[in-house]
């Protein structure tokens, strides 16, 4: 983990309220695994807390993150211009460990696709990915060029304005019996992950399933306890430090 200065290389709108920012680090950050995240300053000195953003792509000393404009912090990030200097802490959290897995199902929803893309980029030369991705509508669709590194890509939207109408979990379940996969990785809205867990349980699923959780974070280091989630055994886990990737059966959804 390093606390570095970085220079904004680009900051582009790629879908409705979705930006991709590429940052050039002042020095190498070492190995960054798909599913890990960064804590990035917003460029506004009055905002002391940095924003946790999943890594979407790493190329040399360039790191790309994507974010949805929601609150004041992301509104400030959206105004950031090329050449500005920001502070970045990385890499944080635990990523997707696919050691020994050769065929992987990917289930993503909305802004949850970004850490999944990083994982596909990390392994697509040696592993096969079968991706099922859901967006709200056609205006939210983005980064399909990255997802096309998958062996198979199915894109659906809630309203049917792009691809078939439906959600990513439903799309996968239609094909589940046809795919010989070693595991499932997923990231998306909490309701999507909850439905996924329920459906897998109903089908007596035996495939390992890793999920990346989205929680509001403060420090990103496990000290502030803002991002605590409940584990299935009743104990607590810190999403930033103990996750954000967990076995789906390990956590309450």
């Amino acid at each position: 983990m390093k606390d570095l200065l970085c220079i904004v290389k680009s900051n582009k709108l790629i879908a409705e309220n979705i930006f991709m920012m590429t940052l050039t680090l002042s020095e190498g950050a070492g190995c960054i695994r798909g599913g890990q995240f960064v804590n990035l300053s917003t460029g506004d000195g009055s905002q002391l807390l940095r924003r946790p953003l999943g890594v979407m792509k790493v190329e040399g000393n360039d790191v790309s993150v994507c974010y949805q404009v929601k609150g004041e912090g992301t509104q400030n990030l959206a105004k950031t211009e090329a050449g500005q200097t920001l502070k970045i802490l990385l890499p944080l959290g635990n990523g997707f460990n696919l050691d020994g897995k050769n065929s992987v199902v990917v289930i993503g929803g909305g802004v949850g696709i970004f850490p999944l893309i990083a994982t596909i980029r990390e392994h697509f030369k040696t592993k096969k990915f079968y991706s099922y991705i859901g967006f709200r509508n056609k205006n939210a669709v983005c980064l399909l060029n990255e997802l096309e590194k998958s062996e198979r890509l199915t894109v659906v939207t809630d309203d049917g304005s792009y691809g078939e109408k439906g959600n990513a979990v439903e799309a996968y379940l239609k094909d589940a019996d046809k795919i010989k996969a070693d595991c499932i990785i997923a990231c998306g809205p909490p309701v999507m992950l909850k439905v996924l867990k329920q459906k897998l349980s109903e089908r007596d699923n035996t495939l390992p399933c890793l999920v990346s959780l989205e929680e509001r974070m403060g420090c990103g280091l496990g000290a502030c306890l803002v991002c605590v989630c409940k584990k299935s055994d009743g104990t607590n886990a810190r999403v930033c430090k103990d996750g954000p990737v967990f076995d789906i059966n390990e956590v309450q959804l």
Side-chain angles (χ1 to χ4, degrees), residues 86-102:
L86 301 176
K87 294 179 180 179
I88 189 169
L89 184 66
L90 80 167
L92 298 172
N94 300 310
F96 289 101
N97 184 350
L98 300 185
D99 292 349
K101 313 300 183 187
N102 298 312

Side-chain angles (χ1 to χ4, degrees), residues 195-224:
V195 169
L196 175 61
K197 184 175 183 178
Q198 176 186 338
K199 295 298 183 181
L200 292 179
S201 176
E202 291 173 358
R203 296 170 66 93
D204 294 323
N205 172 72
T206 57
L207 282 180
C209 180
L210 300 175
V211 295
S212 179
L213 302 187
E214 298 177 352
E215 289 288 346
R216 185 178 296 276
M217 296 181 187
C219 68
L221 300 172
C224 69

Side-chain angles (χ1 to χ4, degrees), residues 68-244:
Q68 182 177 31
V69 178
K70 279 187 157 184
E72 187 177 349
T74 48
Q75 288 173 5
N76 284 332
L77 283 176
K79 299 172 185 176
T80 304
E81 298 180 349
Q84 285 188 237
T85 299
L86 301 176
K87 294 179 180 179
I88 189 169
L89 184 66
L90 80 167
L92 298 172
N94 300 310
F96 289 101
N97 184 350
L98 300 185
D99 292 349
K101 313 300 183 187
N102 298 312
S103 182
V104 182
V105 169
V106 177
I107 302 175
V111 296
I113 69 170
F114 307 134
L116 299 175
I117 287 174
T119 307
I120 293 172
R121 287 181 59 88
E122 182 182 356
H123 297 289
F124 76 94
K125 292 181 180 179
T126 58
K127 304 179 189 296
K128 292 183 178 180
F129 292 92
Y130 300 86
S131 298
Y132 297 85
I133 307 299
F135 296 99
R136 186 177 63 258
N137 54 45
K138 64 180 181 181
N139 295 325
V141 175
C142 59
L143 299 175
L144 294 188
N145 61 313
E146 295 288 353
L147 292 161
E148 286 168 356
K149 292 181 173 66
S150 306
E151 183 79 6
R152 180 188 304 170
L153 172 61
T154 299
V155 180
V156 297
T157 49
D158 293 344
D159 62 2
S161 57
Y162 188 100
E164 295 185 11
K165 184 176 181 179
N167 61 62
V169 175
E170 292 171 346
Y172 162 63
L173 292 176
K174 290 178 183 178
D175 291 347
D177 294 334
K178 307 173 189 176
I179 302 173
K180 294 182 180 180
D182 298 318
C183 71
I184 300 168
I185 62 174
C187 185
V191 65
M192 186 199 90
L193 299 181
K194 184 175 182 179
V195 169
L196 175 61
K197 184 175 183 178
Q198 176 186 338
K199 295 298 183 181
L200 292 179
S201 176
E202 291 173 358
R203 296 170 66 93
D204 294 323
N205 172 72
T206 57
L207 282 180
C209 180
L210 300 175
V211 295
S212 179
L213 302 187
E214 298 177 352
E215 289 288 346
R216 185 178 296 276
M217 296 181 187
C219 68
L221 300 172
C224 69
L225 304 181
V226 169
C227 63
V228 166
C229 70
K230 283 288 185 183
K231 299 181 70 174
S232 299
D233 62 6
T235 61
N236 294 326
R238 301 160 297 179
V239 172
C240 68
K241 184 72 172 179
D242 304 316

